[in-house]
Amino acid sequence: MKKYSFIIVFVLVLLVSGCGNNKLICRHSKTDSFYGDNAVSYKLVFDKNNVLKKFTLNSEAVYNKDYIKIAGIDINAEYESAKEICEMYKNSSNAKCNVNLYNDKKIVIEISFDIDKMSDEEISSFGLSDYKGMTYKDAKENYSKNGFTCK
């Protein structure tokens, strides 16, 4: 019975850990009582050789309602502008982009890239050349050096 319990636990550990995929999440946020809050995070997934396979960029902007009124910001225009960013990725099967507006004050843009499936031309056209061949160690060092907290 113990033998089967060990096998079940081993299989569960493999499933939860992603079978050797290393993951890194790096986040940078800024809080301002007048303007609002901004946060950028990168979720990076590496292969068994610690080379970047894919990553997701998530950018959140939470506008202070008073700032919106004082500065005359049209949050719907900001949202439409953010949606235009996604247009450049719509024809790629290796890049996905979503934009959402929450409570008329929070805009979230999420862009996912499957680097290891992209052609060199696609990587170049999206400005992702620095990500090709990026290692776990390089990513952690670069993001940490630029003020991100990585785990």
Side-chain angles (χ1 to χ4, degrees):
M1 184 66 168
K2 287 184 179 183
K3 182 178 178 181
Y4 293 115
S5 297
F6 175 76
I7 292 171
I8 291 170
V9 170
F10 180 73
V11 170
L12 287 173
V13 168
L14 282 177
L15 289 173
V16 171
S17 69
C19 298
N21 287 337
N22 293 321
K23 296 176 180 141
L24 182 65
I25 298 174
C26 298
R27 182 174 172 84
H28 182 274
S29 60
K30 182 179 176 185
T31 300
D32 187 295
S33 60
F34 181 67
Y35 297 109
D37 302 331
N38 293 299
V40 175
S41 65
Y42 288 86
K43 297 174 189 168
L44 303 106
V45 177
F46 300 85
D47 65 17
K48 64 183 178 186
N49 297 316
N50 288 321
V51 176
L52 184 65
K53 286 176 35 172
K54 53 188 165 184
F55 73 95
T56 300
L57 163 65
N58 183 292
S59 177
E60 299 179 13
V62 181
Y63 294 88
N64 180 314
K65 289 280 192 178
D66 293 332
Y67 174 67
I68 291 171
K69 289 177 189 172
I70 292 169
I73 293 174
D74 180 353
I75 195 72
N76 290 315
E78 294 289 320
Y79 173 61
E80 290 301 319
S81 180
K83 283 176 28 179
E84 289 176 13
I85 292 169
C86 287
E87 286 297 309
M88 70 185 276
Y89 304 108
K90 72 179 182 180
N91 294 324
S92 173
S93 60
N94 300 312
K96 303 289 180 229
C97 185
N98 294 304
V99 179
N100 292 297
L101 174 62
Y102 300 99
N103 301 321
D104 291 329
K105 68 176 191 171
K106 179 178 178 179
I107 297 174
V108 177
I109 302 172
E110 185 172 280
I111 310 170
S112 297
F113 300 99
D114 203 343
I115 294 289
D116 66 341
K117 292 183 180 176
M118 288 183 166
S119 68
D120 289 342
E121 182 181 324
E122 194 172 25
I123 289 171
S124 179
S125 71
F126 291 146
L128 300 174
S129 297
D130 290 345
Y131 291 92
K132 185 174 181 180
M134 179 183 279
T135 64
Y136 182 95
K137 180 182 174 193
D138 292 340
K140 191 167 187 177
E141 286 176 5
N142 287 335
Y143 285 110
S144 296
K145 185 171 56 175
N146 286 298
F148 285 77
T149 301
C150 297
K151 294 181 183 183

